Amino acid sequence: MRRADLMGRTALADVLLAEALTRAYVRDAEAPPPVGPLLTDHAVATGIGRVAAALQDRWTAAGLAAQLAGPYAHYAPGPDAFPHLVLADALLDEHLDHHGDPAAPVPPPPAIEPETPEAVEDDANTLLAAVEELAEEEFEPYGGEAPHLLYVVYQRGCSAESVARKAAEYEDWTVDPALEDLPVPVPDGAPDAYAVPPVPELVRLLGTPELNEADRARLEGPARDLAVVLDRLAATGLVFRSGDAFGLTPRGAGAVRYLLGVRGVAAPDAAEAAAWPASVLVAAAAGWSASVAARVLGDWLHARVDTDRAWTELLDALGTVHAGTSEAASVRGLFTLLDTTTAPPGALRAALRDPVLGAYALRALEDRGEEADPIQVPTSARALCVLDALPAKKGPLESRRAAFDGAAATWPGGSAALVRAMAEADRHETERALGPLGIALP
């Protein structure tokens, strides 16, 4: 248990006891019991808290409350010992904006520097001091974004983010959503002074081919302002900035994980995530970026030495978690992130009969040059493979229509049969993909 958790439970117990005493006083005032009221007016006037402390002494050990408020206060820390909970609240707000649910896990960092609980609390207080300083006017316009910057880097699995890309987002530039999680290289020995990356790198980061030198110059000011904020955070030793890349150090990852955890956010470390059941892991990974999900899924399999059993459990989860919901497509899409070259062939052959992943397993075996019987693949799995391959997330509708028509031309029974098979397998994704094309579902 964290010290902050103990403080929270102690404070809650104090509040509940004070409320119970207050209710008893009101009840006795309205209908005095024959033996007299529990609390006199004088006792209430001196403070319910003092009465509660006296009762605690009576129920535990005489003088305990005074000792815990004095020489042994470190055994019962109060809220004043945890100023960083202000930052924890800000990170919780960021998490709720992102996921809407504190139980939705954030991805584990690849590395956390081992520290004592007291050292982690000190790091959290250090981050708070920097965040509060950044909220001052001299760090406008981005100083107030410090909690957001800490959270988004952690949410990326602690992989580095681009200063220029974040500045472009703040300036309402168009950033291709497919590139938001694009890995950012961390240079060695970059100059301390910040400079916006060259135009070709900006195009790679933002996905906007028409960018030119004038655009790069226009982004220079906002990006430098953001770099100043990040450099102040980096002065704590918990954040780094190298060239255009910034992120959390292993110590910083531990501090942010602690801050999320004290406010009830599910924030596992790598070992905890590797120990999860396959279904829990898959449900969480469906909400993470592709690069992070690939890393954590791979770590989960490697922790089980890539055995047949581990692969079978994971493939079963990919076909069943969130089945029949709007999230089913993102779950089965995790298959494409797996390194199937390391999968035991027996596990993939067994998956051929899976009504969801059968066609994915067939393709993986074929890519490896191994024999596989396509007859075993159910119609539903073949329809889902076609559905998932449609350019549904971006691009002109004409390309989606052309892809659908091409698949329907070779599907037994034609387009009507293909639509019916898609709808039966995943109605949510079929409506999303085919609805804009004017194709009605049965």
Side-chain angles (χ1 to χ4, degrees):
M1 178 185 289
R2 303 179 187 89
R3 289 202 323 141
D5 296 332
L6 177 61
M7 179 274 294
R9 294 188 182 186
T10 302
L12 177 60
D14 289 343
V15 169
L16 293 176
L17 178 56
E19 289 179 348
L21 291 173
T22 302
R23 287 194 300 271
Y25 174 74
V26 172
R27 180 198 63 211
D28 290 353
E30 294 174 345
V35 296
L38 175 66
L39 299 177
T40 64
D41 291 343
H42 175 72
V44 173
T46 60
I48 290 290
R50 292 181 61 181
V51 175
L55 288 175
Q56 289 174 346
D57 280 359
R58 185 187 305 173
W59 295 333
T60 55
L64 178 62
Q67 292 295 311
L68 291 178
Y72 298 99
H74 55 286
Y75 288 126
D80 291 344
F82 302 92
H84 53 260
L85 292 183
V86 174
L87 180 54
D89 289 336
L91 292 173
L92 173 61
D93 289 342
E94 292 288 340
H95 183 75
L96 293 177
D97 287 344
H98 194 92
H99 288 286
D101 180 3
V106 288
I112 294 177
E113 187 171 311
E115 290 194 288
T116 65
E118 292 78 13
V120 173
E121 290 176 11
D122 288 343
D123 284 344
N125 286 331
T126 298
L127 272 180
L128 173 67
V131 168
E132 290 182 334
E133 180 182 335
L134 287 167
E136 297 174 2
E137 185 176 349
E138 64 181 287
F139 290 102
E140 289 184 351
Y142 302 124
E145 296 296 329
H148 174 72
L149 295 169
L150 295 171
Y151 179 82
V152 294
V153 175
Y154 194 94
Q155 175 61 30
R156 288 170 60 84
C158 294
S159 62
E161 173 61 294
S162 161
V163 177
R165 186 161 59 197
K166 287 304 297 180
E169 291 176 3
Y170 284 133
E171 293 300 300
D172 293 327
W173 286 29
T174 300
V175 178
D176 186 344
L179 301 180
E180 290 178 350
D181 297 313
L182 190 72
V184 177
V186 180
D188 291 328
D192 291 339
Y194 178 79
V196 175
V199 170
E201 177 65 2
L202 279 182
V203 170
R204 187 186 78 88
L205 290 169
L206 306 183
T208 311
E210 63 272 15
L211 289 175
N212 54 36
E213 285 294 342
D215 296 314
R216 178 177 180 275
R218 189 157 51 93
L219 190 60
E220 189 83 32
R224 286 184 184 278
D225 288 341
L226 183 56
V228 168
V229 171
L230 291 165
D231 287 347
R232 173 62 188 92
L233 290 173
T236 64
L238 305 171
V239 173
F240 72 86
R241 183 185 69 79
S242 180
D244 186 56
F246 73 93
L248 292 166
T249 65
R251 268 181 57 211
V256 173
R257 176 175 178 262
Y258 160 78
L259 288 165
L260 291 167
V262 296
R263 282 302 183 238
V265 175
D269 61 17
E272 289 170 343
W276 279 346
S279 58
V280 174
L281 174 71
V282 165
W288 299 340
S289 69
S291 59
V292 172
R295 167 175 62 83
V296 180
L297 290 169
D299 289 347
W300 190 91
L301 288 167
H302 297 334
R304 289 158 180 77
V305 204
D306 287 294
T307 60
D308 278 81
R309 179 177 179 179
W311 273 91
T312 298
E313 289 178 1
L314 187 60
L315 295 179
D316 285 346
L318 293 178
T320 55
V321 170
H322 294 319
T325 73
S326 59
E327 300 175 19
S330 60
V331 169
R332 63 177 177 269
L334 294 173
F335 184 96
T336 63
L337 306 178
L338 301 177
D339 180 9
T340 54
T341 62
T342 66
L348 290 177
R349 289 198 179 95
L352 290 173
R353 295 181 293 275
D354 189 286
V356 173
L357 298 179
Y360 282 103
L362 175 64
R363 181 180 298 171
L365 287 166
E366 291 175 342
D367 289 344
R368 288 165 37 149
E370 298 185 16
E371 293 185 2
D373 183 7
I375 301 299
Q376 296 185 46
V377 179
T379 298
S380 60
R382 291 190 292 113
L384 286 173
C385 197
V386 173
L387 174 62
D388 293 341
L390 295 177
K393 293 184 177 179
K394 64 175 183 175
L397 292 179
E398 291 80 3
S399 63
R400 193 184 314 175
R401 182 76 209 207
F404 172 80
D405 290 343
T410 59
W411 189 267
S415 61
L418 177 57
V419 172
R420 184 166 57 253
M422 287 178 171
E424 290 175 354
D426 186 344
R427 192 171 188 88
H428 292 281
E429 187 68 5
T430 303
E431 287 179 342
R432 188 181 73 81
L434 301 187
L437 302 180
I439 298 176
L441 273 58

